[in-house]
Amino acid sequence: MSNTTGGRNARNKGRYWAAFLILALLVLIFLVLSICIGTVNIPLAEIPKILGKNGNDDTYTDIVMGIRFPRAAAAGILGGGLALSGYLLQTFFHNPIAGPFTLGISSGAKLVVALVMVAALGNAFALSSWVLIIAAFAGAMLCMGFVILMSRVMDQMSMLIVSGVMIGYICSAVTDFVVTFADDADIVNLHNWSKGSFSGMTWDNVLIMAIVVGITAICVFLMSKPISAYQMGEAYAKNMGLNVQVFRVLLVLLSSVLSACVTAFAGPVSFVGIAVPHLVKNLFGTAKPILMIPACFLGGAAFCLFCDLLARTMFAPTELSISTVTAVFGAPVVIYIMIHRKKERAE
């Protein structure tokens, strides 16, 4: 019996290491492709020279270090944060189709950020990245609070998801109205942001998002054991000594911070928070938080790097919004989840 258990554990460990290696390689491959491919294709051999500041072509250096590398870094960091946010919401609601986009949280964050941007630009105020993150967090918390209140009234999760989607549509409609009728000429730049985009990122932006997402991700990882207990049910978690009320508040706060950071810099990005945790879970064959948390981050980074690469190169020089591409790959995953859950209930 012990030999069988030992063999199974060894196989599982081998699968986990292989899965992590696959995700890390995907992140690296898509990162390199994002740097090399574009209107101006940059030879792979030039990349080490540019990063080592030994490049001979200043044009290549400006493109890589000024445009493509910070954009790719932002896509990886924010994609990882968004996937982690979705994982926390799915844990909170015990439902695989809960996510920042479907529950209207991203749209709420987008609305408040857009209002702050319009007010600032109209009065010639300069906004820092921290102000945008705080504004997005406020919007995310408002919508999250509404969703939680609705969850106490509605017994069916499907109705809660529909309510979240309706909240998202209302917030998006108000945002589009505000952006469309803004007088300031600079507000034109908000159109791309309001639809979701990783363009225009700077190294200062990357540093700030790395600090916010990095600290939050570490906090989430440190909560691996409480999350594992909570997944077994609230009664089990209470018997294990977990303060469920405080834990649920932490889940909401951490998820909202991650979602707010993404929205502040890139606007709303759809389906990443739903699709990636599900894909990662299937890849690893386990739901253990200590594995799922770093895996979701890597999976989200790879997914957004891939989608951003397609968004800016598929119809170049025309650039698609990032949500357009993520929806193409993420929506089928959501449909599969819903069909799979229906079959499980039927059985």
Side-chain angles (χ1 to χ4, degrees):
M1 186 71 175
S2 59
N3 290 336
T4 303
T5 303
R8 187 184 301 114
N9 290 336
R11 287 194 297 272
N12 287 339
K13 287 182 180 180
R15 178 175 181 173
Y16 300 154
W17 280 111
F20 272 120
L21 180 61
I22 290 171
L23 291 177
L25 285 175
L26 287 175
V27 171
L28 180 60
I29 290 169
F30 293 138
L31 177 62
V32 171
L33 290 176
S34 296
I35 293 174
C36 293
I37 298 176
T39 306
V40 177
N41 290 324
I42 298 176
L44 182 60
E46 289 292 324
I47 303 303
K49 298 177 183 178
I50 294 172
L51 297 180
K53 298 182 179 180
N54 295 320
N56 296 322
D57 195 320
D58 291 336
T59 302
Y60 284 169
T61 302
D62 292 341
I63 292 173
V64 170
M65 301 306 295
I67 301 174
R68 292 185 189 171
F69 200 178
R71 175 171 180 158
I77 294 169
L78 297 180
L82 194 55
L84 206 51
S85 176
Y87 174 74
L88 292 177
L89 290 174
Q90 290 169 17
T91 300
F92 183 89
F93 289 105
H94 298 289
N95 193 289
I97 58 173
F101 189 79
T102 54
L103 293 177
I105 296 169
S106 294
S107 297
K110 179 181 76 169
L111 172 59
V112 176
V113 171
L115 291 173
V116 171
M117 283 183 170
V118 170
L121 291 172
N123 293 281
F125 291 145
L127 290 175
S128 70
S129 298
W130 293 108
V131 172
L132 296 181
I133 292 174
I134 293 170
F137 178 74
M141 288 301 297
L142 285 173
C143 284
M144 188 66 176
F146 182 80
V147 170
I148 292 174
L149 289 176
M150 294 293 289
S151 68
R152 295 181 178 179
V153 177
M154 298 179 177
D155 295 330
Q156 292 184 336
M157 186 64 192
S158 58
M159 293 303 297
L160 182 62
I161 296 295
V162 171
S163 299
V165 172
M166 293 303 104
I167 294 170
Y169 275 119
I170 293 171
C171 291
S172 294
V174 176
T175 303
D176 291 341
F177 180 84
V178 169
V179 172
T180 300
F181 291 96
D183 294 329
D184 199 295
D186 292 335
I187 211 68
V188 175
N189 296 325
L190 286 178
H191 282 285
N192 289 335
W193 170 86
S194 66
K195 294 178 181 178
S197 175
F198 292 119
S199 64
M201 296 294 177
T202 65
W203 284 114
D204 288 338
N205 296 150
V206 172
L207 177 61
I208 293 172
M209 68 180 69
I211 292 172
V212 175
V213 173
I215 292 175
T216 309
I218 290 171
C219 292
V220 173
F221 185 76
L222 293 176
M223 292 173 60
S224 296
K225 287 187 177 180
I227 290 174
S228 182
Y230 184 77
Q231 288 176 340
M232 300 295 290
E234 291 189 18
Y236 177 85
K238 288 179 180 178
N239 290 333
M240 294 296 292
L242 179 65
N243 188 325
V244 174
Q245 296 301 322
V246 174
F247 175 77
R248 285 167 65 89
V249 170
L250 287 175
L251 284 184
V252 170
L253 290 175
L254 293 172
S255 175
S256 297
V257 168
L258 291 169
S259 180
C261 187
V262 175
T263 306
F265 287 106
V269 183
S270 61
F271 293 102
V272 178
I274 308 176
V276 171
H278 182 74
L279 294 173
V280 168
K281 182 180 177 181
N282 283 349
L283 176 64
F284 279 75
T286 183
K288 294 179 180 178
I290 198 168
L291 296 173
M292 284 291 292
I293 290 170
C296 281
F297 191 91
L298 287 174
F303 188 80
C304 281
L305 280 167
F306 170 69
C307 291
D308 184 55
L309 179 63
L310 293 181
R312 68 178 180 81
T313 60
M314 189 178 295
F315 299 104
T318 301
E319 183 173 318
L320 300 173
S321 70
I322 185 64
S323 286
T324 301
V325 184
T326 55
V328 170
F329 294 100
V333 176
V334 177
I335 294 172
Y336 170 79
I337 295 172
M338 296 174 69
I339 294 174
H340 185 67
R341 282 174 61 83
K342 186 176 181 180
K343 287 182 178 179
E344 285 183 343
R345 290 174 181 174
E347 293 174 356

